[in-house]
Amino acid sequence: MAKNHTRYIFSMGELKRKDNSIAFSNEKGNFYLPIEETRELYCLNEVSFNTKFLDFIARAGITMHIFNYHGNYSGSFYPKEYLISGDLTIKQSLSFVNERLVIAKSIVSAIAQNIHEVLYHYYRHDKKELKPYIDWLKNDVPSLLHVTMKVEQILFVEGQIWSRFYDSFKYFLPEDFVMNKRVKRPPDNPINALISFGNTLLYTKTIASIYHTHLNQSISFLHSPREGRFSLSLDLSEAFKPVIVFKTIFDLVGRKKLQVLKHFDKSLNYALLNEEGKKIFIDAFEERMNETFLHVKLKRKVSYKHCLKLDGYKLIKTIVEGREFTPFLLKEKM
């Protein structure tokens, strides 16, 4: 499946180079992907390949994201960084030391504002039970962030935002998809499965976007920089979760395009999308990522995918020029 140079592989098989194409082989035969039409490759099943293949896609600038048989994210392979700036890395490190609280607060503020925009749609359509929460998002969260003086306090506010958001699902989602408790590793019900899968897809898209900037993936502001993960991608993906992941989930569930008995694996307590369910979700996710809209400030049409990259550039201006960092806000959409 291809959407805007993104290829998804759902079956077990082998990836290798064939002339100037990517060849995927399994019991059904050989399938060829033109190298020039591929920028990202998602392996959503057990797929084998060798170092010769990795060298081939690295030279072509292709990022590959790997998931195991159960749909859990294993990691990403991307080519040697071609946009390296020692000067920016030093300044990014200094920003972490001197401006971490300010940038972290901006990210959490954007999460709250975007959730408010998403839920206000349901409030306007007669879900008046949402009013206390959307009022809290609009009035209380800015006040709480204003007085927080430690990263741990900011993370606590962020946790409260997400917790109350999950609790609001009972007012507008079918009973099958109501959230009892957020469980990540592994998900324990259909809604947790959708959130984990969607968040992981968004995380990998953010990794690919940051790769095309001079930013250092390991120096983050809201999330603690840690070995073994791209923590800056976790930071920059946060503001987009309500807009990309949750709007996709709400639309698919609300329109009954995803159903528990039909699109989830019964043998795993319906806590994992089956292949048909993954295809439906990915189609909708890619469609939303590539959806274009007229940006209020830029005065031109942009896609959500492009906005991910723009947030990277905005962060660079904050680091280099001291400009205020304001992550993507849904209200910027005309």
Side-chain angles (χ1 to χ4, degrees), residues 33-292:
L33 308 175
I35 194 80
E36 67 275 5
E37 294 179 13
T38 306
R39 293 273 64 82
E40 282 185 277
L41 195 57
Y42 282 78
C43 300
L44 298 172
N45 210 319
E46 294 180 356
V47 176
S48 61
F49 45 82
N50 57 26
T51 54
K52 183 179 178 181
F53 174 76
L54 291 178
D55 180 64
F56 176 54
I57 63 171
R59 290 174 183 273
I62 294 171
T63 306
M64 182 166 67
H65 309 290
I66 301 163
F67 293 69
N68 66 20
Y69 176 77
H70 293 292
N72 299 316
Y73 173 66
S74 299
S76 296
F77 168 83
Y78 67 67
K80 179 177 65 177
E81 291 183 340
Y82 69 103
L83 295 174
I84 299 174
S85 171
D87 182 55
L88 182 63
T89 298
I90 291 169
K91 289 178 179 176
Q92 191 175 338
S93 302
L94 289 172
S95 292
F96 172 79
V97 173
N98 300 320
E99 303 295 332
R100 184 182 183 188
L101 286 181
V102 176
I103 295 172
K105 286 181 182 183
S106 296
I107 294 169
V108 175
S109 175
I111 296 169
Q113 291 181 65
N114 287 338
I115 288 178
H116 182 280
E117 291 293 314
V118 170
L119 289 186
Y120 195 74
H121 164 80
Y122 293 98
Y123 172 71
R124 279 183 329 183
H125 288 80
D126 247 10
K127 302 299 180 184
K128 303 304 179 187
E129 303 91 341
L130 293 168
K131 190 174 192 310
Y133 178 49
I134 60 176
D135 285 348
W136 179 80
L137 287 170
K138 186 175 182 180
N139 303 318
D140 293 20
V141 169
S143 300
L144 288 169
L145 289 175
H146 181 70
V147 299
T148 52
M149 299 303 293
K150 296 180 179 179
V151 170
E152 292 77 13
Q153 294 172 325
I154 299 171
L155 289 169
F156 177 79
V157 174
E158 184 209 11
Q160 287 292 301
I161 292 169
W162 288 117
S163 178
R164 296 184 188 206
F165 180 48
Y166 301 144
D167 191 53
S168 75
F169 293 178
K170 62 190 176 190
Y171 298 124
F172 56 89
L173 288 184
E175 190 175 347
D176 285 350
F177 288 95
V178 168
M179 171 79 75
N180 296 317
K181 185 176 73 170
R182 177 74 177 111
V183 178
K184 300 179 182 180
R185 300 182 186 91
D188 67 346
N189 60 28
I191 190 66
N192 274 309
L194 288 176
I195 294 170
S196 292
F197 190 55
N199 283 349
T200 301
L201 288 178
L202 180 60
Y203 171 63
T204 58
K205 291 289 183 187
T206 313
I207 290 171
S209 293
I210 294 178
Y211 170 71
H212 294 291
T213 73
H214 290 88
L215 289 165
N216 187 305
Q217 295 259 22
S218 65
I219 303 171
S220 52
F221 300 90
L222 177 62
H223 296 84
S224 295
R226 285 215 317 249
E227 292 182 7
R229 70 178 187 180
F230 298 122
S231 50
L232 185 61
S233 289
L234 292 172
D235 276 8
L236 293 189
S237 66
E238 289 289 348
F240 289 87
K241 285 180 182 177
V243 185
I244 303 297
V245 176
F246 287 96
K247 285 192 77 173
T248 298
I249 291 171
F250 298 161
D251 181 63
L252 291 174
V253 171
R255 296 174 184 268
K256 297 184 178 179
K257 292 181 179 179
L258 280 179
Q259 299 173 34
V260 173
L261 296 179
K262 189 176 179 183
H263 300 114
F264 292 80
D265 192 327
K266 182 180 179 181
S267 68
L268 294 169
N269 196 33
Y270 304 106
L272 180 69
L273 283 163
N274 60 26
E275 185 173 320
E276 183 184 357
K278 286 177 183 176
K279 288 179 179 178
I280 291 170
F281 188 91
I282 285 168
D283 272 346
F285 177 87
E286 284 286 341
E287 188 174 335
R288 192 170 299 279
M289 283 294 297
N290 293 307
E291 177 187 328
T292 59

